[in-house]
Amino acid sequence: MKQKENIKKKLQGASGFDEYYSSIYGERWSSLKESFSKESQSVEWKVPGSQKSYFLDSASVLAAVSLPLENSKNILDLCAAPGGKTVVIASRMPSDAVLSSNERSPDRKHRLSVVVQTCLPPEINKNVKVSCSDGSTWCTRQTECFDTILLDAPCSSERHVYNDSKYLNQWSLSRIKTVTTEQWALLSCAFRLLAPGGTLLYSTCALCPQENDEMIRRLIKKFNKEKETFTFLEPNLQNIDLSTFSDVKLPEFERTEFGYQILPDKSNGAGPIYFCLIKK
């Protein structure tokens, strides 16, 4: 017990952060840190008829466009702010679909509303319903009502932490524990909101397995233990034409146990992004 406490105490701040992620990524950690130091490459997403463009990471574009939208009627973006993935999804969804774009923070919800109004033309933004609520409790009011769901979950965001000395010096393993508790509440709720036959995209910009594949493993244990209630989909990007909105070149992605990951050291600075496609 005392040894575990000493390890926990040691893995704090910049040195603890470095040691922890080095233990996960080994020799690759050096190249990842080097890629974090470089400015991330944002790409322009411009919807014809909108007032403004939205700029976002090409890895975020890839994750958003990997979500199948054909025949979708009721779509949910559960943790939508600042709004980039909402814009991408809304611009590509069927004309008769409704997208519920939710954010729990009132300030971030206001920013989300502005993005929806300015980065989408009227004929599209009229079908986007912006709300402000705790996404982890939505399933207490509704169940199995959305046929397509994006959960871009709050996460450790290690690239941001690494580039901000304040957050890097405050880092500890307890941060991961706090975040995964929140992620599980959101993911289990999102799965309950998903209609049979529907598709859920779970994504983070985290590097640690606890927030990515291990979260999906937990979903398997909870919902697939007795019988198979969901399966995994592979992203189908071969025939997607994004030229109407962007000249983005989608980055390469790597397979993980249950999903996919885009890491900046091998994707020209894009990411990190983890995503997993689930069909109920």
Side-chain angles (χ1 to χ4, degrees), residues 11 50 56 58 140 160 181 195 218 277:
L11 293 178
S50 61
L56 70 167
S58 61
T140 62
H160 174 70
T181 299
R218 190 170 177 180
L277 278 166

Side-chain angles (χ1 to χ4, degrees), residues 25 57 59-60 62-64 66 85 150-153 155 158 183 187 200-220 230 232-233 253-264 270-278:
Y25 288 94
D57 192 300
S60 295
L62 189 150
S66 70
K85 292 186 180 70
L150 165 65
L151 171 56
D152 186 21
C155 67
E158 291 95 343
Q183 288 170 340
L187 180 56
L200 165 65
L201 173 68
Y202 173 76
S203 71
T204 78
C205 57
L207 289 171
C208 62
Q210 297 96 312
E211 300 179 43
N212 298 332
D213 272 347
E214 291 305 315
M215 197 58 56
I216 303 304
R217 192 186 310 280
R218 190 170 177 180
L219 194 73
I220 294 170
F230 67 86
F232 297 106
L233 299 178
F253 53 84
E254 306 168 38
R255 183 182 289 274
T256 66
E257 184 175 2
F258 301 118
Y260 305 87
Q261 198 166 30
I262 302 167
L263 297 176
I273 287 286
Y274 169 88
F275 65 99
C276 180
L277 278 166
I278 294 167

Side-chain angles (χ1 to χ4, degrees), residues 242-259:
L242 304 178
S243 60
T244 300
F245 313 109
S246 178
D247 60 359
V248 58
K249 181 180 179 180
L250 296 178
E252 296 293 324
F253 53 84
E254 306 168 38
R255 183 182 289 274
T256 66
E257 184 175 2
F258 301 118

Side-chain angles (χ1 to χ4, degrees), residues 17 21 29 36 153-164 167-168 171 175-176 179 183 204-208 211-212 271-273:
F17 180 90
Y21 287 97
W29 180 233
F36 291 165
C155 67
S156 289
S157 189
E158 291 95 343
R159 183 170 189 165
H160 174 70
V161 172
Y162 181 77
N163 287 318
D164 190 314
Y167 292 110
L168 185 59
W171 181 87
R175 175 186 174 91
I176 296 174
V179 170
Q183 288 170 340
T204 78
C205 57
L207 289 171
C208 62
E211 300 179 43
N212 298 332
I273 287 286

Side-chain angles (χ1 to χ4, degrees), residues 85-120:
K85 292 186 180 70
T86 277
V87 169
V88 172
I89 291 172
S91 61
R92 300 182 62 251
M93 69 184 185
S95 59
D96 59 347
V98 174
L99 170 58
S100 298
S101 188
N102 180 69
E103 172 56 43
R104 70 179 181 182
S105 162
D107 289 341
R108 286 168 60 84
K109 182 259 184 180
H110 173 72
R111 180 183 175 187
L112 173 64
S113 297
V114 171
V115 166
V116 167
Q117 291 299 314
T118 59
C119 297
L120 292 169

Side-chain angles (χ1 to χ4, degrees), residues 45 62 65-67 92 236-243 250:
W45 189 274
L62 189 150
V65 301
S66 70
L67 184 62
R92 300 182 62 251
N236 183 11
L237 305 171
Q238 293 181 349
N239 298 317
I240 292 181
D241 182 7
L242 304 178
S243 60
L250 296 178

